[in-house]
Amino acid sequence: MGDAIHNDPRWRAWWSGAEQRELTISVNYSAKCGRGSVSARGGRTWASFRMEESRFRGRGAGALAHLAHTDMETVFSRVSTALDMPVPGDIPLPADATPPTPENVASRERLADLRKRHRTQP
């Protein structure tokens, strides 16, 4: 994802409007989801996010590529808001990305609900 974005001239044009030299993105996947933060100082911008790793369970390569795409959309949206920039254009979608179907979404939500109930019972 990083290479596709870095090599896309639309994204380079968008970032050139930031008046920042460098953007460092850190995404940490863990058991808990947390708020992200964006800070800028001295021509450098740091974006740090914590996202829930359980979203990866049971997904194939195409679904994981789509999830990475979605995560990058979230990151760039937060960066643009923090730097008071226009919302960036479309992020290049990986060729192998397969968006979830409504059945996939419903199944994952049901599974998450069952896991939540199982954890809360003695």
Side-chain angles (χ1 to χ4, degrees):
M1 284 295 308
D3 288 340
I5 292 168
H6 181 72
N7 294 329
D8 188 323
R10 295 173 300 161
W11 282 90
R12 290 168 121 356
W14 173 77
W15 183 245
S16 68
E19 300 177 4
Q20 300 287 317
R21 291 187 323 261
E22 184 178 315
L23 171 62
T24 301
I25 299 171
S26 170
V27 181
N28 185 14
Y29 294 95
S30 65
K32 294 183 180 181
C33 184
R35 297 188 73 185
S37 66
V38 178
S39 61
R41 185 175 65 246
R44 291 182 170 184
T45 302
W46 293 270
S48 179
F49 297 88
R50 185 170 60 189
M51 298 181 186
E52 193 172 349
E53 66 188 355
S54 66
R55 300 176 307 139
F56 296 114
R57 288 187 195 134
R59 293 184 188 246
L64 290 172
H66 189 271
L67 186 58
H69 177 263
T70 303
D71 286 352
M72 291 311 297
E73 284 180 329
T74 300
V75 167
F76 280 111
S77 176
R78 294 282 305 274
V79 168
S80 66
T81 300
L83 297 178
D84 197 26
M85 294 175 61
V87 176
D90 293 333
I91 293 176
L93 186 65
D96 62 341
T98 54
T101 64
E103 294 82 16
N104 294 134
V105 172
S107 295
R108 292 189 69 76
E109 288 173 354
R110 177 73 176 136
L111 182 59
D113 183 52
L114 289 171
R115 283 185 175 140
K116 184 177 177 182
R117 282 195 229 169
H118 180 68
R119 280 188 225 140
T120 59
Q121 294 179 353

